[in-house]
Amino acid sequence: MQQEIITSLDFGTQKLSATVAIREKDELKILGVQSCKSAGIEKGLLLDIDKCRDVAVSLLKDLEKKTTVKSERISIGISSNKVRITEVSTVVNIQEKVTSADIRKALKNAQRDFILSDDECIVDVLINFYILDNKVIRKDILNWKGSKLEINLTLVIAAKSEIEKYYELFRKTGYNIGSIKLNILVGKQVFLNEKNSMESIVIADIGAGTTDIALFTDGIPKSINSIPIGGRNITKDLAICGKFSFLKADNMKKIYSSNYKALYLDNSLEEEIEVGTTKVSRKLFYEVVNARIEEILSHINIKLKNTGHYDRICSIILYGDGVNYFEDIDEIVRKIFKIKTKVIRKNDLGIKNSENITSMAIAKEVYDRLNLLEDDNIILTNKHNDNKVINEKEHLHNNEGENHILKKVKVFFDKIF
Ligand SMILES: Nc1ncnc2c1ncn2[C@@H]1O[C@H](COP(=O)(O)OP(=O)(O)OP(=O)(O)O)[C@@H](O)[C@H]1O
Ligand SMILES: [Mg+2]
């Protein structure tokens, strides 16, 4: 089989992260991952295309140098802001055995038959399960014998005007969009496993500008939500209350997040803590941060209550860097959520850097899709040009460490659930 390059790019408010991998025989091999400071994205939405293009292209070029692989088709990961999902079923007749072509046809039919409003477009189609001649099959359907195949799908529907901005970003850059994934839904690749996916589980990514939430039942996404708040709000609150610049406040926040409560409680200390020449009252720091974290978590709780599935949720997984590094986060979480909740930090996962988790998960999602369909080009509304990118560099860097991160994360979850 030809080696196929899979390049993914997670568009975050604070950082961009990219992964280059190849699909080889039965394996996804991660060749390199890299992140950089983001620009032009606010609350998960692309606001300044030019600014964002500069950082995105420079990140992809850096990664090309690092891996010596030229990427062209990029699978992008975006926030759930202005995105909705809906579940549909579609049926195709099978000649003898189920083939990739049958599934591709079913996916195309489902998209064609679904009525969208003028300002919407389908960006992704997820396969939830199959019913082959009345038998439910969850995965590995290829080559099964049968005559009638029903597929349960989730359509991911986004605001067309937002998606067009991403196409505009890549225009004339030498790159084009291969597929569009929702960052929170690819979180499934990292956080759902055989054990926990049989129940209702929530994953929530609290980032810089947005908090994205997905609820899965039996591994099927039942609801997604996006709240336009995150770590940046904590920084802004500190900046306003302490009268600092945003940068100073952000710096101070990161320095004291791991011990801000202990500092607040230690009466032997001076009233103020300092970073360089900047001083802030310990009490003010604690109260401002604490109130905002509680607010963010309460918003998540309200969204979950509104899903109609609240009583069935067995566990909540919180990831992203927005609030997870604060000293008393576990305590605040216990206060707000009455459901078992796990806060994920890079140390929990035994990795140095959690920034690239989402771009790696996108690559894994694209890899799985290629294995099933032999083609990732199944979205009818995609405007990409059809430059198939196949660059057959044999001698690629052997990035064992990064390659093992997803496996490691899975092992971690096997232990806690
Ligand atoms: N050690 C830390 N302590 C406190 N806050 C931190 C720490 N490290 C990062 N942050 C905050 O986490 C936020 C960035 O989180 P993350 O990298 O998950 O966001 P993103 O994916 O770029 O953004 P989004 O998902 O909102 O588009 C920033 O607000 C940053 O200040
Ligand atoms: Mg993010």
Side-chain angles (χ1 to χ4, degrees):
M1 184 170 60
Q2 246 170 346
Q3 286 185 335
E4 264 164 293
I5 297 164
I6 298 174
T7 304
S8 58
L9 179 52
D10 157 15
F11 282 93
T13 304
Q14 185 85 3
K15 50 133 215 308
L16 302 184
S17 155
T19 292
V20 172
I22 43 169
R23 175 179 173 237
E24 261 191 347
K25 296 193 193 91
D26 297 331
E27 205 194 4
L28 172 74
K29 202 164 166 189
I30 293 175
L31 306 176
V33 294
Q34 188 143 329
S35 62
C36 70
K37 200 169 173 323
S38 180
I41 298 186
E42 291 287 336
K43 302 188 188 308
L45 296 178
L46 182 47
L47 290 193
D48 189 326
I49 299 173
D50 294 336
K51 268 194 192 161
C52 194
R53 179 189 299 116
D54 286 350
V55 281
V57 168
S58 131
L59 177 65
L60 291 170
K61 297 260 178 252
D62 284 352
L63 206 47
E64 276 172 12
K65 265 192 218 142
K66 188 169 159 185
T67 59
T68 69
V69 171
K70 171 88 184 85
S71 302
E72 280 175 41
R73 276 162 74 82
I74 315 295
S75 294
I76 65 166
I78 60 169
S79 132
S80 320
N81 201 343
K82 302 202 184 177
V83 184
R84 67 181 177 106
I85 56 171
T86 190
E87 220 172 300
V88 297
S89 272
T90 183
V91 177
V92 277
N93 292 324
I94 304 300
Q95 292 296 342
E96 191 199 347
K97 285 181 184 173
V98 179
T99 64
S100 294
D102 295 324
I103 304 175
R104 286 203 301 268
K105 186 172 157 200
L107 264 53
K108 292 205 164 157
N109 289 350
Q111 291 175 74
R112 196 197 50 214
D113 297 344
F114 191 79
I115 298 167
L116 296 164
S117 69
D118 286 349
D119 57 348
E120 289 184 321
C121 60
I122 295 174
V123 291
D124 197 11
V125 182
L126 312 176
I127 297 172
N128 298 325
F129 61 88
Y130 310 90
I131 304 174
L132 182 61
D133 299 333
N134 299 324
K135 186 175 164 43
V136 176
I137 299 168
R138 300 223 156 248
K139 53 180 185 179
D140 300 331
I141 186 85
L142 292 178
N143 297 321
W144 276 66
K145 284 189 180 159
S147 57
K148 189 179 130 202
L149 176 66
E150 186 181 334
I151 312 186
N152 179 281
L153 303 165
T154 294
L155 304 181
V156 181
I157 300 164
K160 214 189 246 171
S161 53
E162 293 303 320
I163 298 305
E164 278 166 0
K165 292 183 197 167
Y166 287 96
Y167 282 100
E168 174 62 24
L169 182 146
F170 283 104
R171 212 161 59 90
K172 296 192 184 152
T173 58
Y175 302 106
N176 57 62
I177 296 180
S179 54
I180 301 175
K181 301 284 166 194
L182 273 205
N183 282 337
I184 194 69
L185 292 182
V186 300
K188 178 182 171 178
Q189 290 285 357
V190 180
F191 299 114
L192 263 62
N193 59 16
E194 299 271 311
K195 268 193 267 171
N196 69 16
S197 71
M198 296 315 286
E199 44 197 40
S200 286
I201 184 161
V202 167
I203 61 175
D205 175 0
I206 307 172
T210 160
T211 293
D212 287 351
I213 310 162
L215 185 149
F216 295 88
T217 299
D218 290 344
I220 301 170
K222 293 292 172 185
S223 91
I224 56 165
N225 268 294
S226 180
I227 314 169
I229 44 175
R232 274 199 182 175
N233 296 81
I234 303 175
T235 307
K236 278 186 196 156
D237 291 348
L238 282 172
I240 292 167
C241 296
K243 301 191 176 61
F244 319 116
S245 68
F246 182 88
L247 276 181
K248 275 189 179 157
D250 204 54
N251 193 22
M252 186 182 283
K253 177 183 86 169
K254 287 182 191 155
I255 290 174
Y256 289 116
S257 58
S258 61
N259 64 344
Y260 81 117
K261 187 171 184 187
L263 291 174
Y264 166 64
L265 295 174
D266 187 346
N267 290 325
S268 69
L269 297 173
E270 295 276 310
E271 216 24 65
E272 292 183 314
I273 46 178
E274 24 183 291
V275 177
T277 54
T278 315
K279 289 186 176 183
V280 64
S281 138
R282 298 183 273 132
K283 184 165 182 285
L284 178 101
F285 189 105
Y286 173 78
E287 286 175 354
V288 166
V289 168
N290 203 271
R292 184 56 98 167
I293 298 177
E294 275 195 18
E295 197 209 336
I296 296 172
L297 299 183
S298 299
H299 275 294
I300 299 177
N301 208 23
I302 292 167
K303 290 282 184 200
L304 294 180
K305 285 190 171 152
N306 291 340
T307 59
H309 298 266
Y310 196 76
D311 295 336
R312 267 168 281 152
I313 300 171
C314 296
S315 43
I316 302 173
I317 292 172
L318 300 181
Y319 68 109
D321 289 352
V323 302
N324 286 4
Y325 290 96
F326 286 91
E327 184 186 3
D328 55 344
I329 184 66
D330 291 314
E331 216 175 291
I332 311 175
V333 159
R334 275 197 300 277
K335 190 166 128 189
I336 307 280
F337 301 111
K338 302 295 170 236
I339 301 166
K340 182 172 84 173
T341 302
K342 178 75 194 160
V343 176
I344 307 296
R345 301 171 203 88
K346 51 186 176 243
N347 291 347
D348 295 317
L349 303 175
I351 55 178
K352 317 194 272 297
N353 191 341
S354 56
E355 285 184 341
N356 299 306
I357 284 274
T358 298
S359 69
M360 286 193 281
I362 299 169
K364 175 71 167 60
E365 182 88 12
V366 173
Y367 166 80
D368 287 350
R369 177 60 62 101
L370 282 169
N371 283 348
L372 178 70
L373 300 179
E374 288 300 332
D375 186 358
D376 61 350
N377 179 16
I378 47 106
I379 303 300
L380 297 179
T381 45
N382 262 5
K383 292 193 211 160
H384 56 71
N385 42 32
D386 260 335
N387 302 341
K388 270 257 176 220
V389 189
I390 297 178
N391 181 338
E392 293 177 51
K393 291 234 174 205
E394 289 291 338
H395 301 292
L396 301 159
H397 294 183
N398 185 10
N399 241 324
E400 281 300 312
E402 281 143 359
N403 225 7
H404 284 156
I405 290 176
L406 286 177
K407 278 184 208 146
K408 216 167 190 173
V409 172
K410 292 266 184 214
V411 171
F412 169 74
F413 279 99
D414 279 341
K415 279 189 206 143
I416 65 166
F417 285 102

